[in-house]
Amino acid sequence: MKTWHEIRRFPLAVRLLLVNQFGVNTGFYLLVPYLATHLTENLGLSAVVVGVVLGVRNLSQQGLFLIGGSASDRLGARRVIIAGCALRTVGFALFALGDDLAVLLAASVLSGFAGALFNPAVRAYLAQEAEERRAEAFALFHVFATAGALVGPLLGSALLLVDFRASALAAAGIFAVLTVAQALVLPAREVAPSRGTVLADWREVLGNRAFRAFALAMVGMFTLENQLYLLLPDGARRATGWDGAAGLVLVLGTLAGLAFQLRITRALGRRGDRARWIAVGLGLMALAFLPPVLVTGTGTGGGGPDGTADAVLRALPVLAGALLLHLGVMVAQPFVMELIPGFGRPELTGTYFGIFYVVSGVAAALGNAVVGRAMDAGRHGDAAWLPWACCALFGLASALGVARLRRLGSLPAPPEPAAPTTAGEAREDRGPGERREDQEVQEVQGGTPT
């Protein structure tokens, strides 16, 4: 209940963005996990064509985050968020209504490009609106995103009892509602005139050596976080012999996030600098891949459990690893998101998020390829521990990279709390959005509110 009380203390725009992220992930996971099955079994497409359709969607999103980030800075985050959700509405509706390859490719491009637009824009808007409570806002953002990623597949499974088109239309309907809500509720903010070209903005961000080093150091975080959908579910299934065990990995994280995410972020934010906790979180993520080796990496897991009691005992190390991984993400991720805008000018917040997510998307793809290769090699070579060891090394390398950047003093400081005024304690009871309005009256900054 305390979490819901804290949510109400944020401005309405922040609360809508939290609900928006829950809806975005619900709609996405309601449809996309079942898309390949629909294309092959319902439409009879070959594996090659299915790979092309899915690859186009992923490339349209991961490859165009730069466009979304720059559009957010130049056109305003609100417009880009609304446009992105509207495009995904159309894209998901096309998946429901179209059967030929041209329509499917158009749906893939539109739905992917939509994600490339609103993902960096939402984070830029959230960073600007939350001000000094940025870490807490991103902590709640992660909770809502995780909850949506859990609810989406469950709702999708239920709708598939009707047919795939029902799932696709429901997903499109969710994005249509989000589009209308954002258009009605999100306040428009004045956008600062651009100083130069988009290419100049990209050069400025990519030329920031500290930001480049930080983005590369965070490769391990995104690689390991993706194992919640690859290695850990596979390990849970193999250890227990039960397909439903894979779902427990996500359920456990969702419940832990709802109960502890905000408390963890708030407690750690008062104790030490952010870089320390990012490194600690990455270290926890690395350790998460050691307990499952007890039941999945010794070569004894291939035979399956001996009865229900044995299945439960074998599930415990995998679930302990999943809980450690979720805990590491809860520790590190809000502070990572909090620091990104601090690397450069406020006018380029969207571009910084866009480039950061390009790096993370490439990292996740390459990391999954490495882990998948290790999984295959481990199974064929009686070395089932291999993918778990790879993940532990990924996390350790990232933790050491962030620790080194911290020692060098290369990372920005978090936003400072608002300075007290003669209004005393009454001012502290007001939301970040209201404090910003006071500052804008007192100072003519001529730019995007920061």
Side-chain angles (χ1 to χ4, degrees):
M1 294 300 294
K2 185 175 181 180
T3 297
W4 302 116
H5 173 72
E6 292 300 323
I7 290 172
R8 291 196 296 270
R9 294 182 58 199
F10 281 98
L12 180 59
V14 172
R15 299 201 299 269
L16 176 61
L17 292 178
L18 298 178
V19 175
N20 174 79
Q21 192 60 24
F22 173 79
V24 163
N25 274 17
T26 298
F28 180 85
Y29 287 102
L30 188 157
L31 172 72
V32 172
Y34 309 105
L35 182 56
T37 302
H38 167 68
L39 296 177
T40 53
E41 296 183 2
N42 297 341
L43 301 186
L45 300 179
S46 68
V48 173
V49 174
V50 172
V52 170
V53 172
L54 297 180
V56 165
R57 194 213 67 79
N58 191 60
L59 181 63
S60 298
Q61 178 163 321
Q62 303 293 347
L64 296 177
F65 275 132
L66 259 176
I67 304 298
S70 293
S72 172
D73 291 332
R74 290 172 173 263
L75 303 177
R78 176 181 179 273
R79 294 176 182 173
V80 177
I81 293 169
I82 294 170
C85 279
L87 280 179
R88 184 156 280 183
T89 301
V90 175
F92 280 6
L94 285 178
F95 277 126
L97 303 175
D99 292 340
D100 62 84
L101 183 58
V103 175
L104 293 173
L105 288 175
S108 293
V109 171
L110 286 176
S111 60
F113 182 49
L117 287 177
F118 63 67
N119 277 340
V122 164
R123 287 158 178 81
Y125 200 110
L126 191 67
Q128 292 164 352
E129 289 293 313
E131 291 185 332
E132 71 275 4
R133 298 184 65 195
R134 192 181 294 164
E136 295 175 24
F138 278 114
L140 290 169
F141 189 81
H142 176 66
V143 171
F144 276 75
T146 304
L150 177 64
V151 171
L154 297 177
L155 183 57
S157 297
L159 288 172
L160 282 177
L161 297 176
V162 181
D163 61 13
F164 176 82
R165 298 181 193 281
S167 294
L169 289 174
I174 290 173
F175 279 96
V177 171
L178 293 176
T179 303
V180 173
Q182 291 155 358
L184 294 176
V185 176
L186 283 184
R189 301 296 185 193
E190 184 181 354
V191 181
S194 302
R195 298 181 183 177
T197 65
V198 172
L199 289 177
D201 291 346
W202 293 354
R203 282 195 298 268
E204 179 179 337
V205 175
L206 292 172
N208 187 324
R209 295 178 60 185
F211 173 72
R212 283 205 319 268
F214 182 69
L216 292 173
M218 297 314 302
V219 162
M221 185 180 83
F222 290 101
T223 299
L224 298 193
E225 193 174 3
N226 267 263
Q227 302 319 307
L228 289 168
Y229 307 99
L230 178 62
L231 183 58
L232 279 164
D234 181 76
R237 284 190 295 264
R238 289 179 176 276
T240 64
W242 176 46
D243 287 342
L248 295 178
V249 171
L250 291 177
V251 171
L252 187 66
T254 301
L255 295 177
L258 288 171
F260 302 114
Q261 174 70 84
L262 187 60
R263 297 179 185 179
I264 289 172
T265 302
R266 179 169 290 173
L268 297 182
R270 295 193 294 262
R271 296 175 175 86
D273 62 90
R274 273 48 172 166
R276 174 191 299 173
W277 299 122
I278 293 172
V280 169
L282 290 168
L284 289 173
M285 293 175 73
L287 290 175
F289 293 89
L290 300 183
V293 176
L294 297 174
V295 291
T296 64
T298 60
T300 61
D306 183 16
T308 302
D310 187 39
V312 172
L313 289 175
R314 291 163 66 87
L316 293 179
V318 181
L319 294 179
L323 186 58
L324 265 178
L325 182 58
H326 282 293
L327 178 61
V329 173
M330 285 192 284
V331 170
Q333 192 175 72
F335 298 128
V336 172
M337 298 293 105
E338 181 188 38
L339 289 186
I340 289 173
F343 280 101
R345 294 187 285 122
E347 295 85 358
L348 293 182
T349 296
T351 303
Y352 273 96
F353 274 113
I355 290 180
F356 186 78
Y357 274 94
V358 168
V359 174
S360 72
V362 173
L366 294 178
N368 276 349
V370 171
V371 173
R373 178 76 173 178
M375 290 169 69
D376 290 337
R379 290 168 191 163
H380 298 318
D382 196 25
W385 53 266
L386 185 60
W388 305 94
C390 285
C391 288
L393 290 175
F394 276 136
L396 180 61
S398 282
L400 292 175
V402 172
R404 176 171 173 77
L405 290 175
R406 176 176 177 262
R407 286 196 302 271
L408 294 174
S410 301
L411 302 179
E416 293 291 334
T421 66
T422 54
E425 294 297 323
R427 181 175 176 82
E428 294 303 315
D429 293 333
R430 304 172 66 190
E434 295 172 288
R435 291 197 290 271
R436 178 187 289 107
E437 291 173 2
D438 288 348
Q439 292 168 353
E440 290 173 346
V441 170
Q442 295 169 11
E443 302 176 8
V444 179
Q445 297 181 348
T448 306
T450 60

